[in-house]
Amino acid sequence: MAITPNADETPWLTADEKEAWTGLVSLVLLLPGRLESPLQHGAGLTLFEYLTLSHISEAPERRLRMSELAYLANGSLSRLSNVVKRFEQRGWVERSPDPGNGRYTVAALTDLGYEVVVAAAPTHVRAVRQFVLDPLDADDQEALARIAAKLRVRPVDLT
């Protein structure tokens, strides 16, 4: 038997809530493509690949646990593992057991991988400015950062 919510019990969205929700969905669905297109044309990287390299490059000693990297790059461990495997074949990343806890795997950026991300970074930054930051004033940027922090979901094993 299917359960249908009683209309009297469902907290339907107000017009303002619907506008906020629709705006968020538009951002989530459309913005990644706008950020990825310049990267693909300029550097031959997807947004996920760029974020993967970028996050490793910003980590101490350019080393990061795969589980943390999956969270930061917004992908599953299996997707990340496939990308990192391709990066290993290109000589951009090396994987090894975490010396502090062998149950984890660490991805380390090679010098060649660092060169790739450094070359791609200006293309990414220009797209971020064009599609995200430049249309917003300082108050909007602060509000966006505050809202993003409130909506961020972090897996329990990374806290």
Side-chain angles (χ1 to χ4, degrees), residues 17-137:
E17 290 171 332
K18 186 169 193 288
E19 186 175 346
W21 168 242
T22 303
L24 175 62
V25 168
S26 293
L27 283 173
V28 169
L29 297 177
L30 298 176
L31 191 57
R34 289 182 179 165
L35 296 175
E36 182 169 87
S37 183
L39 278 170
Q40 285 187 324
H41 288 95
L45 296 171
T46 66
L47 181 59
F48 183 76
E49 290 169 337
Y50 174 79
L51 292 174
T52 299
L53 293 172
S54 176
H55 287 301
I56 301 172
S57 77
E58 295 173 348
E61 300 177 20
R62 297 186 206 153
R63 301 172 54 82
L64 200 56
R65 280 185 179 171
M66 291 283 287
S67 53
E68 177 78 2
L69 184 54
Y71 166 74
L72 292 171
N74 194 30
S76 66
L77 271 173
S78 63
R79 179 181 184 195
L80 177 65
S81 183
N82 289 329
V83 167
V84 169
K85 182 179 180 180
R86 287 195 308 272
F87 288 171
E88 283 179 306
Q89 293 167 347
R90 295 175 187 164
W92 298 354
V93 172
E94 296 172 345
R95 280 189 280 193
S96 61
D98 184 337
N101 185 338
R103 295 179 301 164
Y104 296 101
T105 300
V106 172
L109 197 62
T110 65
D111 289 341
L112 182 58
Y114 186 72
E115 289 174 16
V116 169
V117 73
V118 166
T123 299
H124 178 66
V125 170
R126 283 191 296 274
V128 167
R129 288 199 171 284
Q130 178 183 359
F131 297 115
V132 181
L133 299 176
D134 289 350
L136 305 176
D137 64 24

